[in-house]
Amino acid sequence: MDTVVSGIRPTGNLHLGNYFGALRNFIKMQNENNCYFFIADYHSLTTHPTPADLHGNVKSVLIDYLAAGLNPEKATLYLQSDLPETAELYLFLNMNAYLGELERVTSFKDKARTQPDNINAGLLTYPTLMAADIIIHRAHKVPVGKDQEQHLEMTRTFANRFNRLYNVEYFPEPVAYNFGEELVKIPGLDGSTKMGKSEGEGNAIFLNDDAEVIRKKIMRAVTDSGPTQPNQPKSQPIENIFALMKALSKPETLAFFEEEYNNCRVRYGDMKKQLAEDVIAFTQPFRDKIKEIGSDDNYLQKVVKLGRDKAHESASKTIREVREIIGFKPF
Ligand code: TYM
């Protein structure tokens, strides 16, 4: 049986990008694998959240995980900060991670550009912490979206380096996973190629957005002035609307608007109205469940405790063995 590990940073409620890139796969994988899904609250410290925001965001992600159908009896659901073994493994991995390779990571370069006043060591070593998350359970598969591909490559580098350095075959090589298909990248509503929390107002649709908010965001989505010749290549913003439709509308709906576009008859207003209704129908069950679970603090507490215990069992075994391999031997 494969071991599967993945996590999501708590920056608020999850959006459709998180869902299609990661969470949907978590749910599909939990039945047939040994799964560990966590909330990456250590990672979110790289952007300096306030204590109240941090706690609130962790709670939102936990509720979204459960509302989307993660089953804490099947998968191990836990908070990254409940597993200090991860921090210890991160320390070990950092001893064999080099400045040059860390500085070349695209996500580091992007962050250094977008938060020039806060280029902290946590940002630089983000990939070693992520590698620690994954190999602490000696994972084989990591369900993630396309933007995490480079981090997974780094994880393999660090895992292999550890094995080579100590002449062991201890860590498996984990791979980014999406059921044998290409990793996905869900675009934003503002014409940009990625839906993301930090991409700006109106870019993302969150699982807890209500119907009116969804309608407003989608009706304001960027479009162009329309095709002027049959089968004209699509501009990025239009490509994005089609991509969202492909992700969650019926195939007939997508085919209809493709045909309209290719014959220069498309009315973007109608297309967006249809997309908005499809998104509302798709997310309705999440909203209902979020309301139901969100008010049950007792249940949330139980889930966190159960996850902490199960995750700890696996992580403490790894850390014990890693310490031995490195040479920290008991007297
Ligand atoms: P994060 O929190 O930015 O995103 C969480 C997951 O959602 C996916 N995702 C997307 N997929 C498709 N289209 C999008 N627009 C989109 N936006 C986000 C991401 O690919 C990711 O799978 N570093 C990670 C969290 C992390 C982690 C780990 C993941 C920490 N440790 C260990 C896997 C394993 C991150 O910041 O993801």
Side-chain angles (χ1 to χ4, degrees), residues 84-301:
E85 291 89 344
T86 305
E88 186 171 349
L89 185 56
Y90 167 60
L91 181 149
F92 295 151
L93 294 180
N94 275 335
M95 301 301 169
N96 303 311
Y98 297 98
L99 184 61
E101 64 188 342
L102 293 170
E103 277 177 338
R104 278 196 299 276
V105 175
T106 313
S107 62
F108 174 70
K109 291 195 281 194
D110 287 348
K111 284 281 183 203
R113 213 175 309 121
T114 52
Q115 52 181 77
D117 300 330
N118 182 19
I119 309 178
N120 58 64
L123 273 184
L124 183 69
T125 56
Y126 193 104
T128 47
L129 180 53
M130 193 161 151
D133 292 327
I134 295 169
I135 68 178
I136 193 78
H137 303 296
R138 302 174 72 196
H140 305 99
K141 288 180 180 158
V142 187
V144 282
K146 180 121 188 90
D147 59 318
Q148 299 297 318
E149 216 164 23
Q150 194 184 20
H151 289 152
L152 260 294
E153 236 173 82
M154 300 285 290
T155 300
R156 285 191 288 279
T157 301
F158 297 136
N160 286 333
R161 194 173 288 164
F162 180 94
N163 289 346
R164 248 195 342 269
L165 192 65
Y166 296 106
N167 203 15
V168 288
E169 294 215 4
Y170 185 69
F171 290 119
E173 267 201 354
V175 291
Y177 185 76
N178 184 30
F179 294 93
E181 287 174 25
E182 281 262 307
L183 301 185
V184 306
K185 180 163 156 187
I186 297 291
L189 293 173
D190 57 357
S192 71
T193 58
K194 189 182 161 197
M195 183 174 284
K197 167 87 178 172
S198 51
E199 315 300 312
E201 260 312 284
N203 161 294
I205 294 171
F206 296 94
L207 296 181
N208 67 329
D209 277 348
D210 66 33
E212 243 353 272
V213 171
I214 293 173
R215 271 189 206 109
K216 262 200 198 120
K217 283 184 180 172
I218 293 182
M219 293 318 284
R220 282 193 199 134
V222 179
T223 50
D224 59 19
S225 51
T228 51
Q229 327 167 15
N231 303 315
Q232 187 174 311
K234 298 182 183 102
S235 65
Q236 189 64 53
I238 301 306
E239 195 63 77
N240 292 358
I241 310 257
F242 274 97
L244 287 168
M245 217 171 219
K246 185 165 181 219
L248 50 69
S249 297
K250 291 200 183 99
E252 309 87 87
T253 308
L254 178 69
F256 171 77
F257 285 103
E258 287 279 6
E259 170 89 17
E260 293 287 280
Y261 181 89
N262 285 332
N263 293 320
C264 306
R265 280 193 311 254
V266 69
R267 292 162 61 144
Y268 291 141
D270 291 349
M271 186 174 176
K272 292 204 273 189
K273 259 190 212 143
Q274 178 67 48
L275 178 64
E277 292 320 305
D278 292 348
V279 171
I280 291 166
F282 182 81
T283 49
Q284 187 62 48
F286 297 105
R287 277 188 297 281
D288 295 345
K289 274 271 176 198
I290 287 170
K291 271 207 197 95
E292 186 189 318
I293 296 167
S295 52
D296 194 347
D297 279 343
N298 257 344
Y299 176 60
L300 296 180
Q301 250 172 36

